[in-house]
Amino acid sequence: MKKRLEYLGMADFDYLAARLLMIHGLVTVALPKAAEAVEKLMKLFLVLEAKISRNENLTAKDLKGYGHDLERLFAQFKTKVPVTFGGEWDDYVKCLQESYTYRYPEHWTQYRAELDLDKLDFVYVHMRNNIILNFPLEERQRVRHFGTFLYDAYTAEAFDLIGRLGGKNPGEILRLSNQQFALLDIDASRI
């Protein structure tokens, strides 16, 4: 997959959207967006791991086989990572997986929605920090730029407009109530 940096940028912005929605109590739409961010990170990890361990170039078509099955992706992810993930990780991934289903009322029977911003931040920061270690050296500095190419699109005029509308720019959203921010391996001077 040649669009590694783009995948990371999109995951970063899905995460920001999930954070903002969660901060404002919109948990039923925040969790599917969080699931999308985590899914992109896990797929990106599998792409990088395949290249490093087998010199195999996975394609977007290869990744489509996983669909949006976070639990299957996480099971595969855990076989490749040399650390133990506690049961709370499995529970959170299951919660995110269920959130995909609950986007449509036909599937509603009961809904376990977690309004836990700290858990989202912990999972995202932990996964992102470890995944960027697997990027090729020539891309390592770039992946430390949160949002990669997406953040680059923000000009001073865009920040000004966001402020005039009463909003927060991406860097402010990332920092807002984020107890994991200091642990995030990024170039914080760029946001």
Side-chain angles (χ1 to χ4, degrees):
M1 182 173 65
K2 296 179 181 181
K3 304 260 182 199
R4 294 185 294 246
L5 294 169
E6 289 83 352
Y7 248 75
L8 183 60
M10 291 171 55
D12 287 346
F13 271 72
D14 284 347
Y15 165 62
L16 288 182
R19 291 192 92 255
L20 191 58
L21 291 164
M22 203 169 280
I23 286 167
H24 289 284
L26 301 170
V27 69
T28 58
V29 288
L31 287 174
K33 192 48 84 175
E36 290 176 28
V38 170
E39 176 186 335
K40 284 180 179 85
L41 286 183
M42 286 192 283
K43 286 180 176 178
L44 184 55
F45 172 82
L46 293 176
V47 165
L48 293 165
E49 185 277 331
K51 183 64 175 169
I52 292 167
S53 64
R54 299 180 302 282
N55 197 27
E56 183 181 343
N57 293 310
L58 294 182
T59 65
K61 186 176 179 179
D62 296 324
L63 298 174
K64 282 185 182 181
Y66 288 99
H68 301 293
D69 191 338
L70 292 180
E71 291 174 292
R72 185 171 156 226
L73 269 168
F74 190 52
Q76 183 70 12
F77 178 82
K78 289 188 295 187
T79 67
K80 310 286 184 187
V81 178
V83 297
T84 302
F85 293 91
E88 69 275 0
W89 279 80
D90 290 318
D91 291 343
Y92 192 63
V93 169
K94 183 177 181 177
C95 175
L96 294 177
Q97 179 67 56
E98 289 172 353
S99 75
Y100 275 143
T101 303
Y102 296 135
R103 291 176 298 162
Y104 304 103
E106 293 82 12
H107 304 287
W108 292 355
T109 53
Q110 61 179 355
Y111 193 159
R112 179 181 65 100
E114 288 191 27
L115 184 59
D116 192 338
L117 184 61
D118 292 335
K119 190 178 288 184
L120 170 62
D121 290 337
F122 176 80
V123 166
Y124 193 82
V125 168
H126 181 79
M127 290 183 82
R128 188 186 197 282
N129 283 352
N130 286 288
I131 287 167
I132 67 170
L133 295 173
N134 293 307
F135 269 83
L137 288 176
E138 64 271 12
E139 294 176 353
R140 194 78 50 86
Q141 188 58 35
R142 183 66 169 140
V143 297
R144 290 193 68 242
H145 297 178
F146 190 86
T148 64
F149 76 103
L150 289 172
Y151 195 86
D152 293 346
Y154 286 84
T155 62
E157 294 81 20
F159 285 146
D160 184 52
L161 177 59
I162 292 167
R164 283 195 318 253
L165 292 171
K168 298 197 177 301
N169 69 52
E172 292 170 326
I173 296 168
L174 182 59
R175 287 179 174 91
L176 186 62
S177 301
N178 191 342
Q179 297 186 22
Q180 298 293 314
F181 180 78
L183 300 175
L184 187 57
D185 185 12
I186 59 168
D187 180 355
S189 69
R190 289 189 35 87
I191 58 166

